[in-house]
Amino acid sequence: MTTAFDPIDLAGTALANRVAMAPMTRNRAPGRVPTDLMAEYYAQRASAGLIITEGIQPSPAGQGYPNTPGLHSDEQVAAWRRVTDAVHAKGGRIFAQIMHAGRIGHPSILADLPGDLHPVAPSAVAAEGQVFTPEGPKDYVTPRELTDAEVRQVVADFAAAARNAVEAGFDGVELHGANGYLIHQFLAPGSNRRTDAWGGSVEGRIRFAVEVVKAVAAEIGPERTGLRISPGNPYNDIDEPRPLPTYTALLAELEPLGLAYLHVLEVSPEVRDITVQLRKQFSGTFVLNPATDGPTDHTALGLVEDGTADVIAFGVGFLANPDLPARLAAGGPYNTPDQSAFYGGDRTGYTDYPTL
């Protein structure tokens, strides 16, 4: 019987186990550049079979939160190289999650950048809610609708960021198509109200995701390209009432590419039937960030044993337990996560969690 602690070949990248560190925004990159503290943070968690980084914007306009890192400048590439070197020195494997926030953000977060930048989206539809900015919480603004030429430029930005990721030493990239950010905004009918070739029908709404994946796979190889999705996830004011037809159509387009993996985030136990359907449809490595009863729910490990997934991703469990695979194997004990330190700050609640 295969267990979560067995190795796996990820399209040519050897993983020591099937316990992955899920991507988590930590807002600790002042000036949008990774720091030595970030290198320490990720290296501490190198016992994960696979580390997936926090969301990294592929372009200046893709930033949605303060102090998130980018992969669009030489300085950022050099700084990320220190992170990947630190992880590899500990025997780990690390993929960069490339995330364009789309309509999630605020002009004040981009105000120090040239070009009078403004959040963009498939359609000029504002998300309900607020975002934390350097000036405090602010309502989301109405985004500017991307033109056809601009959509194509964003696709190229993803590919360029993927090329930069490989140059920075990452083992591959994960494209963030979940949680209400730009790729997800194109997939969902509530945020994509276009009537051109990038919207309208299911085929139109999946087109941006397909084009981004194909462009990145052509740039760095499909074996180094993964995609994260979260069908039916209402986060960031996403309206996706009938997700299954959209995602089965998406996978039908992506299945022949031979991607490194598909990463599914479950928003609740009620969507497990969608997970099972997508698992049947996708022949490659299936990574699951399951809906669980707490951040270190041992029952999640059984999802590898029963074949629901090939790899299980844990988020907050890894945040508070840098040696999570060892703790899972031992049945605990586990550190208590410091929620006050999730976003921003210094090493407190970041690199000071003890190991066993």
Side-chain angles (χ1 to χ4, degrees):
M1 178 181 65
T2 300
T3 76
F5 304 105
D6 291 331
I8 185 173
D9 183 279
L10 188 69
T13 298
L15 308 185
N17 59 63
R18 297 161 183 251
V19 179
M21 176 178 168
M24 291 174 283
T25 296
R26 303 304 306 273
N27 304 94
R28 283 172 165 85
R32 306 172 180 88
V33 178
T35 65
D36 290 340
L37 188 64
M38 290 171 61
E40 179 184 355
Y41 166 74
Y42 284 114
Q44 286 178 345
R45 289 152 180 80
S47 64
L50 175 66
I51 293 172
I52 307 165
T53 71
E54 61 209 274
I56 305 170
Q57 54 261 17
S59 63
Q63 182 176 2
Y65 304 107
N67 296 325
T68 56
L71 254 175
H72 51 81
S73 74
D74 291 343
E75 182 183 13
Q76 291 164 345
V77 170
W80 277 117
R81 170 62 77 170
R82 293 193 291 273
V83 175
T84 60
D85 284 349
V87 170
H88 291 150
K90 293 288 187 68
R93 296 289 179 264
I94 182 168
F95 271 43
Q97 189 194 64
I98 304 178
M99 167 185 145
H100 192 302
R103 68 179 183 172
I104 300 304
H106 195 274
S108 63
I109 296 171
L110 310 172
D112 62 319
L113 295 167
D116 190 25
L117 299 176
H118 189 88
V120 296
S123 300
V125 180
E128 293 289 333
Q130 293 188 314
V131 63
F132 186 81
T133 77
E135 302 164 1
K138 290 183 179 291
D139 291 342
Y140 292 120
V141 298
T142 299
R144 184 174 58 76
E145 181 175 309
L146 290 161
T147 66
D148 178 81
E150 288 171 335
V151 173
R152 296 175 191 277
Q153 180 57 54
V154 175
V155 172
D157 290 341
F158 271 96
R163 183 174 63 250
N164 286 341
V166 171
E167 184 179 341
F170 284 101
D171 298 292
V173 305
E174 174 179 283
L175 303 171
H176 197 348
N179 293 5
Y181 299 110
L182 186 63
I183 294 176
H184 199 183
Q185 291 161 27
F186 269 92
L187 292 170
S191 48
N192 184 351
R193 302 181 187 178
R194 302 175 74 103
T195 57
D196 64 0
W198 301 101
S201 64
V202 167
E203 291 72 23
R205 285 187 284 107
I206 69 172
R207 183 184 175 196
F208 179 71
V210 171
E211 292 299 323
V212 169
V213 173
K214 286 183 175 179
V216 169
E219 190 69 43
I220 66 171
E223 74 281 359
R224 293 194 284 198
T225 304
L227 173 67
R228 191 184 209 210
I229 56 175
S230 58
N233 184 357
Y235 189 66
N236 282 323
D237 198 32
I238 285 292
D239 180 20
E240 204 169 36
R242 294 183 61 249
L244 188 57
T246 298
Y247 289 92
T248 54
L250 175 63
L251 289 201
E253 292 289 327
L254 300 182
E255 169 66 19
L257 300 181
L259 299 180
Y261 64 82
L262 178 70
H263 183 181
V264 173
L265 168 67
E266 287 184 332
V267 64
S268 71
E270 286 71 35
V271 300
R272 180 58 55 82
D273 59 334
I274 295 179
T275 298
V276 171
Q277 176 64 35
L278 298 180
R279 165 63 158 165
K280 291 177 180 176
Q281 189 177 357
F282 188 74
S283 62
T285 298
F286 194 87
V287 180
L288 179 61
N289 194 169
T292 57
D293 184 17
T296 52
D297 183 358
H298 280 75
T299 63
L301 302 178
L303 296 171
V304 171
E305 297 170 9
D306 68 15
T308 301
D310 298 304
V311 176
I312 298 297
F314 290 87
V316 174
F318 258 114
L319 181 153
N321 300 277
D323 55 346
L324 184 62
R327 290 176 184 265
L328 288 169
Y334 301 102
N335 298 321
T336 301
D338 179 1
Q339 295 189 30
S340 69
F342 278 8
Y343 306 109
D346 54 18
R347 69 183 304 271
T348 304
Y350 190 57
T351 59
D352 62 346
Y353 288 105
T355 58
L356 285 175

